[in-house]
Amino acid sequence: MLATAILPNHISDTAGLPVKRGTGRLQRLSAAVASTKPFYQELATASAANAEQLLIKLLQRHCSETGWIVLVAPKQLPSKALADYLRLPVDKILVIHSDAIKDPAKTLHQLLHSRGCRVIVNFCQPGSDELTSQLSQYAASQQRWFYQFNNLASQTH
C-alpha cells in the first residue's frame, strides 16, 4: 500500500479539506489545518485516533500536490481498505519508519531539501527550539509543506 522510506507556525487555504461541523478538540484541529498556509505547522493531538483522523485530512488536502508526501515515523497508518475508500493518494506517499532513522534532524533536513518531496509530515519528537526554527525556515525557503505531530498525552508540563 505505502512505500517505506518541529515547529510552531500556522498554515490558511481551506480548499480540499472537508471540515465537519461540530465541537470538540478534533474540530478545532481540523479547522487549524484548514486555516493554514505553507510552510510549517505544529499539530497537537490527544490520542492516536485523533492523529489518524488528522493525518487523513492532511493526505486528502495534499492529494493534488506534485511530488512525494513523506510520513516520518508515523505511529499508525490508515488501513488499505480505508485508504482506498477515501481515495488517499497512496501512490504518492512514502513512509520512513522510526527504526530506519538514525538522525531525525538530518533526515528532516534532507527531506526539506529534496526536489521530489513536497509535503513532510513528522511524527518524531521535536528537538530543540533552535532546530524547530531552522526547519521552519528551510520549509519556507524550499516551499515545502511541513507538519509536526505532537501527542499531548505524552507531553509533560
Side-chain angles (χ1 to χ4, degrees):
M1 175 179 121
L2 301 174
T4 332
I6 315 197
L7 322 164
N9 190 5
H10 292 284
I11 309 181
S12 93
D13 172 19
T14 57
L17 247 190
V19 177
K20 182 179 174 185
R21 300 293 174 218
T23 61
R25 178 151 190 79
L26 183 59
Q27 172 60 29
R28 289 189 303 274
L29 289 171
S30 297
V33 171
S35 67
T36 58
K37 289 186 179 180
F39 297 98
Y40 170 79
Q41 183 174 10
E42 184 175 337
L43 303 169
T45 59
S47 69
N50 286 352
E52 182 180 24
Q53 291 173 353
L54 198 51
L55 175 61
I56 288 170
K57 290 184 184 301
L58 284 174
L59 295 174
Q60 289 174 327
R61 178 178 189 196
H62 293 292
C63 67
S64 63
E65 294 285 344
T66 55
W68 291 102
I69 299 170
V70 182
L71 307 179
V72 180
K75 309 247 182 307
Q76 69 183 62
L77 296 168
S79 69
K80 179 168 177 25
L82 182 60
D84 289 344
Y85 176 75
L86 296 174
R87 296 185 181 138
L88 297 178
V90 295
D91 58 328
K92 297 168 63 172
I93 299 172
L94 292 175
V95 177
I96 302 175
H97 294 284
S98 58
D99 57 348
I101 300 171
K102 293 181 183 176
D103 182 358
K106 182 178 179 181
T107 300
L108 292 171
H109 280 279
Q110 289 174 335
L111 290 171
L112 287 168
H113 283 89
S114 172
R115 290 181 189 219
C117 297
R118 183 70 178 132
V119 179
I120 295 106
V121 183
N122 183 35
F123 292 86
C124 292
Q125 290 297 349
S128 67
D129 289 340
E130 182 180 333
L131 176 62
T132 300
S133 175
Q134 193 176 54
L135 291 172
S136 177
Q137 290 174 0
Y138 284 148
S141 68
Q142 300 297 317
Q143 297 185 344
R144 305 285 186 263
W145 291 89
F146 183 60
Y147 297 95
Q148 172 65 51
F149 270 76
N150 295 320
N151 188 344
L152 291 176
S154 67
Q155 293 180 353
T156 58
H157 298 286

